[in-house]
Amino acid sequence: TYARDPRFNFILLRENVGKRKAQIAAIRRSSGDLVLNVDSDTTLASDVITKLALKMQDPAVGAAMGQLTASNRSDTWLTRLIDMEYWLACNEERAAQARFGAVMCCCGPCAMYRRSSLVSLLDQYETQLFRGKPSDFGEDRHLTILMLKAGFRTEYVPDAIAATVVPDRLGPYLRQQLRWARSTFRDTLLALRLLPGLDRYLTLDVVGQNLGPLLLAISVLTGLAQLALTATVPWSTFLMIAAMTIIRCTVAAFRARQLRFLGFSLHTFINIFLLLPLKAYALCTLSNS
């Protein structure tokens, strides 16, 4: 249908060169003022482009992202948890960052960019290296940081809804999280250099995102050490983690007006027993693609 529509121009690459090079090829062939990045497994609401474009009317804005939901939310217990995780990431983390015009990662499933800004950054984007090797993942976060580095604002539009397919099994979910963890660690140093020129809240936010998992890991290890060395149950550690989980989920349920967010407490077990070890592994294998 679309192949015969004169409004569309399809670019067929000879081989699979990865998301970054495909993006660059499309951007260089584009001619509009705005570029919309949509993942192949994402469905946009009918008004997404309009709402993102309205935000981009401000020439100081270089990029804007919409709110992500899981299109397959009802498939498994994991997809339900991921859908809540996306809601929290968008409506807590990104929404807070957007108050200061500096969303730190405009997510790939639904992000709009100012083409003139993109073109000026393409060389940096294409030649990103990590330890002397071309960087081959973490495109969304790196492109967002380049926008901020160039002096543009990055925004979040909560009523621009994009539904994307999320992993329905632990294996694919953990592989996705491993890529994201490496990407976050790789770009943290670049992000830290930007913070002096941004609002102080963003410094607190970035430091908190990196120290939070570390402090949680130390708490868990301390509790396990107490259990192993003294044969006593670390009730204080257990109660502190449980209290923080209940408070967070209750606040989310209140803000979203949905009781299902109380069930997000199950994610704490995934975080402690799977994601924390995975993040430690990611930090030790940053060069691995």
Side-chain angles (χ1 to χ4, degrees):
T1 302
Y2 294 105
R4 299 176 182 177
D5 191 323
R7 297 174 298 172
F8 291 87
N9 179 22
F10 291 88
I11 301 172
L12 299 179
L13 303 177
R14 294 183 178 179
E15 57 182 3
N16 185 352
V17 294
K19 177 178 177 178
R20 185 176 306 221
K21 291 188 180 299
Q23 280 180 320
I24 292 169
I27 292 166
R28 285 182 170 150
R29 292 274 293 274
S30 64
S31 58
D33 294 331
L34 303 174
V35 173
L36 180 67
N37 186 92
V38 183
D39 283 352
S40 60
D41 57 2
T42 301
T43 304
L44 303 181
S46 59
D47 56 357
V48 164
I49 295 177
T50 299
K51 290 178 176 178
L52 291 177
L54 287 173
K55 179 66 71 173
M56 300 293 292
Q57 285 183 331
D58 183 350
V61 177
M65 66 166 284
Q67 180 177 176
L68 304 183
T69 64
S71 60
N72 57 333
R73 182 179 91 181
S74 59
D75 284 2
T76 66
W77 63 269
L78 181 60
T79 57
R80 290 183 174 88
L81 284 180
I82 295 174
D83 181 69
M84 289 185 276
E85 184 180 13
Y86 279 13
W87 190 95
L88 291 166
C90 289
N91 294 293
E92 288 188 347
E93 179 185 319
R94 265 63 167 194
Q97 294 169 350
R99 295 278 294 184
F100 307 99
V103 173
M104 303 304 288
C105 179
C106 289
C107 299
C110 179
M112 182 174 282
Y113 299 92
R114 190 172 306 281
R115 183 179 178 277
S116 58
S117 308
L118 276 180
V119 170
S120 67
L121 299 172
L122 277 187
D123 288 342
Q124 296 180 65
Y125 183 50
E126 187 172 18
T127 58
Q128 181 193 5
L129 299 175
F130 184 79
R131 294 180 178 173
K133 298 179 181 179
S135 188
D136 49 5
F137 54 79
E139 295 86 4
D140 312 325
R141 182 175 297 275
H142 188 66
L143 194 53
T144 305
I145 289 177
L146 288 179
M147 280 288 179
L148 291 170
K149 183 180 176 184
F152 294 99
R153 294 171 61 89
T154 54
E155 296 283 356
Y156 168 60
V157 183
D159 54 351
I161 308 297
T164 187
V165 177
V166 301
D168 58 2
R169 292 177 292 113
L170 274 176
Y173 174 67
L174 293 178
R175 286 194 292 273
Q176 178 196 66
Q177 293 297 308
L178 179 59
R179 292 195 307 273
W180 289 1
R182 285 177 177 148
S183 168
T184 301
F185 288 135
R186 285 185 178 190
D187 281 309
T188 291
L189 290 178
L190 183 58
L192 289 176
R193 298 171 192 168
L194 299 174
L195 294 178
L198 301 175
D199 190 274
R200 292 180 181 178
Y201 167 79
L202 293 161
T203 301
L204 178 64
D205 182 61
V206 170
V207 171
Q209 284 189 46
N210 287 275
L211 283 184
L214 176 62
L215 294 176
L216 179 59
I218 291 174
S219 298
V220 172
L221 291 175
T222 301
L224 292 175
Q226 176 183 329
L227 181 62
L229 297 176
T230 67
T232 59
V233 178
W235 289 112
S236 59
T237 300
F238 174 78
L239 291 175
M240 179 61 70
I241 293 174
M244 293 178 67
T245 298
I246 292 171
I247 291 171
R248 186 187 184 196
C249 293
T250 301
V251 170
F254 176 77
R255 291 189 64 239
R257 304 292 192 271
Q258 298 179 46
L259 288 176
R260 69 188 179 101
F261 279 87
L262 296 177
F264 191 69
S265 56
L266 294 175
H267 192 268
T268 298
F269 295 99
I270 296 177
N271 196 11
I272 292 174
F273 297 109
L274 295 176
L275 296 185
L276 283 180
L278 181 142
K279 289 177 180 178
Y281 177 72
L283 188 59
C284 295
T285 59
L286 286 181
S287 297
N288 193 330
S289 62

